Amino acid sequence: MSDTKDSPKLDFIREIIAEDLSSGKHSTTITRFPPEPNGYLHIGHAKSICLNFGLALEHADVGAKCHLRFDDTNPEKEETEYVESIKEDVKWLGFDWGKDLYFASNYFDFFHDCAVHLIQQGKAYIDRDSAEEMRAKRGNITTPGTPSAGRELTVEENLDLFARMKAGEFKEGECVLRARIDLASSNMNMRDPVLYRIMHVDHHNTGDAWCIYPMYDFAHPLEDALEHITHSLCTLEFENHRPLYDWFIENCPVPSKPRQIEFARLNLTYTVMSKRKLLQLVQEGHVGAWDDPRLPTISGLRRRGYPAPAIRDFCKRIGLTKFNGTTDVALLEFEVRDFLNRESPRRMAVLDPVKVVMENWDAEALTAAEVSNHPQNPDMGERSVPISREVWIEREDFMENPPKKFYRLGPGRHVRLRGGHIIRCTSFEKDSDGNVTLIRAEILPGTVGMDAPEGVECRAAIHWVDVASGVDAEVRLYDRLFTVEDPDGAEGGFTSVLNPDSLKIITAKIEPAAASAEAGFACQFERVGYFVADSKDHQPAAKPVFNRCVALKDSWGKQAGR
Ligand code: ATP
Ligand code: MG
């Protein structure tokens, strides 16, 4: 994969790994990306994907790898639809797990064996207290926990009860398996955490084979160890769980000793990120689906037209820290704009059209204008755009009484049609509301590709679409989904601060070469913004549908006075 930015000084995780490799502690590094298949991936996950898979690429010379592991230990919320979408998103971001695709549910036997081992060592017991009693006995920071009756059971009694739990003799909630660690620990996670609970629920992979399921804190280190993960990278909320992670590694018969390292999760302004909230937005119909272009999901960003390299550049730019913070979404938009500015061809579209009739057209009767596909990149070549007597131009490119610095069209003024003639406005018509309905103009013969003749002031070129060959397109103008920087902090909840104008649908005039492009085609509509032909609804030529990916300039930043 081509990295467009030089990497600066190593971050703290890369430093640790470089040290482990140079000291010989590890001969290679194996990381993993462990999503729970209970929703679609979002841009926060992209940070973790770029980190974990990125490390494997950076250390490919010593055989480094990154596993894609589905952490599918909770049967209740998981669906195969999510598994497929996650694979697609990781691939689209440009990463490859090779043969290293794993499902935690394939380790259920191993988790069970580890649990039995802990019981045999006197390090786990069955607790028949209700959830409420357990909570009451847990104590708090100043008061140690109170042992339950289960803590006094013998190894044999525990083995027997655990076997009966597994055999389905108990109802949900009747008992759990807990680790016997330290009821007085100042770290509440160490106060005899639950290892297994009963759930009479079928699992998408193992069917009805199990009615006991392991807790995340217990299963995760075992998964890592079983896969010989060297560096298990997770977000800061797990910092307090690390002693527990290490305890399981110390006390279970595992084949390797992974090290957990925490980094700050990505939070973005004007966005919510948790899968639960994204699901709520989808289920309550605030957005169309998981891939709605207003969502921060990978599939939404893809449909919006955000290129994968721009997302990777963004993840690189934000770096890794140990402190939680919030990143300005404008930074992501900057990377997208930067990439598309360099890489995407130009096309012409008029979003708010007004007709110009060039009354002396026959003086030169051009049939097509040669327009360059990229102003800074001649390698992208030129295209012929059909043109005839009538063209659409942008309403805002005409002013009846233009101020001095307005160099576009006005009565008696000149402007160049991009790739075509210089024209002069001779007259115009308005409707009863004062809206301009028609502009009459004359072409200046001999000005295609030539400078303005002596005495003619023409300082600007505007985009246009030929009336005869232009195509009506549905254009979806997306804006931020929320009106405030921190929707999670909104008093009325995040759904109370949805932006009512996050989607505006208009009919625009677009040139034939844009209309006939395939779905997924991304371009700059000159002077308007970056757009992509919608992956679901766009039909080349027949029914063009374009999504606005990002505006040319950051209008929000301007509003906020930045
Ligand atoms: P969410 O809280 O958004 O629902 P999650 O943490 O429950 O996400 P998982 O499927 O468990 O989602 O996450 C898979 C991996 O992605 C984990 O290693 C997790 O630490 C990482 N991850 C999730 N959200 C972020 C984020 N915002 N920034 C960085 N990494 C993240
Ligand atoms: Mg999670």
Side-chain angles (χ1 to χ4, degrees):
M1 171 174 328
S2 70
D3 280 322
T4 49
K5 304 225 159 49
D6 293 332
S7 31
K9 176 177 162 304
L10 293 185
D11 57 65
F12 73 101
I13 290 180
R14 286 181 168 84
E15 256 175 24
I16 291 172
I17 291 176
E19 170 62 25
D20 286 351
L21 291 175
S22 71
S23 72
K25 179 177 177 192
H26 294 295
S27 59
T28 189
T29 172
I30 303 177
T31 48
R32 86 288 173 264
F33 173 64
E36 188 181 352
N38 62 349
Y40 280 59
L41 297 182
H42 52 61
I43 182 81
H45 294 113
K47 176 175 180 177
S48 176
I49 292 168
C50 289
L51 170 62
N52 284 292
F53 282 96
L55 284 166
L57 289 175
E58 288 159 37
H59 294 288
D61 57 329
V62 289
K65 293 194 298 181
C66 177
H67 297 182
L68 174 60
R69 179 205 308 146
F70 287 98
D71 210 331
D72 57 348
T73 53
N74 181 352
E76 270 183 333
K77 297 178 292 181
E78 293 156 5
E79 287 176 33
T80 31
E81 175 199 345
Y82 298 137
V83 170
E84 291 312 313
S85 79
I86 290 169
K87 285 191 200 165
E88 186 185 351
D89 288 349
V90 173
K91 269 193 222 153
W92 178 76
L93 276 173
F95 299 104
D96 181 7
W97 52 86
K99 294 198 181 95
D100 296 299
L101 175 66
Y102 302 99
F103 289 83
S105 56
N106 287 339
Y107 309 150
F108 279 158
D109 283 328
F110 178 67
F111 303 148
H112 175 261
D113 292 348
C114 287
V116 168
H117 176 87
L118 288 175
I119 297 173
Q120 284 166 340
Q121 302 292 308
K123 288 174 178 164
Y125 62 93
I126 303 290
D127 193 339
R128 304 182 78 160
D129 279 355
S130 67
E132 241 165 82
E133 288 168 313
M134 270 177 60
R135 213 171 303 125
K137 288 183 184 171
R138 227 169 144 232
N140 54 39
I141 299 295
T142 49
T143 323
T146 320
S148 67
R151 224 176 191 260
E152 306 311 319
L153 295 173
T154 64
V155 167
E156 284 66 36
E157 286 168 320
N158 280 314
L159 285 173
D160 174 59
L161 282 168
F162 190 50
R164 287 168 54 199
M165 242 174 100
K166 178 172 181 271
E169 282 187 32
F170 300 108
K171 290 199 286 287
E172 288 186 16
E174 246 185 291
C175 52
V176 293
L177 181 71
R178 293 176 73 174
R180 181 190 268 116
I181 306 182
D182 180 5
L183 287 175
S185 174
S186 58
N187 183 339
M188 300 300 281
N189 294 312
M190 301 296 275
R191 292 194 183 178
D192 291 11
V194 173
L195 307 184
Y196 264 98
R197 68 236 196 266
I198 297 169
M199 296 171 92
H200 291 283
V201 177
D202 280 6
H203 186 278
H204 77 100
N205 180 22
T206 55
D208 62 0
W210 296 87
C211 63
I212 55 171
Y213 291 95
M215 301 301 288
Y216 176 89
D217 277 344
F218 175 54
H220 203 81
L222 301 179
E223 295 159 21
D224 285 343
L226 205 52
E227 293 178 15
H228 293 264
I229 300 300
T230 54
H231 301 89
S232 174
L233 313 177
C234 64
T235 43
L236 282 180
E237 7 8 317
F238 292 99
E239 200 166 15
N240 282 331
H241 298 237
R242 190 179 348 121
L244 185 55
Y245 184 102
D246 292 341
W247 191 89
F248 288 129
I249 296 294
E250 282 306 313
N251 289 284
C252 293
V254 293
S256 78
K257 288 190 190 307
R259 170 174 176 192
Q260 173 179 307
I261 307 170
E262 310 84 19
F263 62 94
R265 67 193 293 117
L266 170 67
N267 299 304
L268 274 186
T269 56
Y270 295 101
T271 269
V272 295
M273 204 90 95
S274 107
K275 280 184 281 195
R276 184 179 58 75
K277 290 176 184 164
L278 297 175
L279 180 65
Q280 189 183 337
L281 288 170
V282 174
Q283 283 180 339
E284 291 178 2
H286 301 297
V287 295
W290 280 103
D291 67 352
D292 189 293
R294 291 166 291 182
L295 290 181
T297 52
I298 307 287
S299 50
L301 299 177
R302 174 166 65 235
R303 195 168 169 196
R304 176 88 173 247
Y306 281 27
I311 295 176
R312 294 198 300 266
D313 281 347
F314 167 74
C315 290
K316 184 174 277 186
R317 182 179 288 266
I318 56 177
L320 289 175
T321 68
K322 275 266 181 199
F323 308 98
N324 276 322
T326 302
T327 301
D328 192 338
V329 72
L331 191 62
L332 176 59
E333 291 162 359
F334 168 83
E335 291 289 355
V336 170
R337 204 178 285 121
D338 187 50
F339 180 90
L340 290 174
N341 180 37
R342 272 182 281 125
E343 305 287 336
S344 65
R346 275 43 176 172
R347 295 289 182 264
M348 292 195 286
V350 175
L351 270 48
D352 185 9
V354 59
K355 193 183 278 185
V356 177
V357 183
M358 294 171 282
E359 296 190 304
N360 63 337
W361 183 256
D362 293 335
E364 212 158 68
L366 189 68
T367 55
E370 299 303 315
V371 182
S372 88
N373 286 328
H374 195 291
Q376 286 91 42
N377 184 355
D379 290 350
M380 284 200 190
E382 291 188 334
R383 69 193 183 285
S384 293
V385 187
I387 188 166
S388 52
R389 182 184 190 83
E390 296 179 341
V391 294
W392 303 109
I393 67 165
E394 215 68 68
R395 184 169 296 279
E396 63 175 29
D397 282 338
F398 176 86
M399 277 185 90
E400 184 178 352
N401 299 301
K404 222 170 173 322
K405 291 240 159 108
F406 185 84
Y407 297 121
R408 293 167 268 165
L409 211 51
R413 293 186 175 224
H414 293 90
V415 81
R416 180 183 297 279
L417 296 181
R418 181 106 172 81
H421 296 93
I422 293 174
I423 63 171
R424 187 180 78 92
C425 168
T426 51
S427 67
F428 65 95
E429 289 175 13
K430 288 200 284 192
D431 64 15
S432 52
D433 297 328
N435 296 316
V436 174
T437 51
L438 183 74
I439 297 165
R440 292 196 191 81
E442 58 181 19
I443 59 169
L444 273 55
T447 53
V448 177
M450 306 298 286
D451 287 343
E454 279 289 315
V456 170
E457 193 187 19
C458 176
R459 295 226 216 160
I462 60 172
H463 62 277
W464 49 272
V465 169
D466 179 37
V467 171
S469 62
V471 180
D472 278 357
E474 177 177 324
V475 168
R476 300 171 180 170
L477 300 172
Y478 292 107
D479 203 340
R480 293 181 181 164
L481 187 53
F482 298 98
T483 53
V484 299
E485 279 196 13
D486 177 20
D488 285 317
E491 223 167 88
F494 66 100
T495 54
S496 71
V497 287
L498 283 159
N499 177 5
D501 298 320
S502 62
L503 170 59
K504 269 190 230 147
I505 300 180
I506 60 168
T507 303
K509 308 288 182 186
I510 67 174
E511 64 167 276
S516 61
E518 295 298 322
F521 169 77
C523 64
Q524 184 195 96
F525 283 150
E526 282 200 45
R527 303 177 61 234
V528 178
Y530 296 96
F531 289 78
V532 64
D534 187 67
S535 55
K536 277 191 178 157
D537 303 330
H538 173 82
Q539 295 169 25
K543 182 181 171 273
V545 179
F546 277 81
N547 301 329
R548 181 168 66 197
C549 170
V550 62
L552 279 190
K553 296 211 183 78
D554 173 9
S555 56
W556 281 74
K558 258 192 279 171
Q559 267 177 35
R562 271 172 279 165

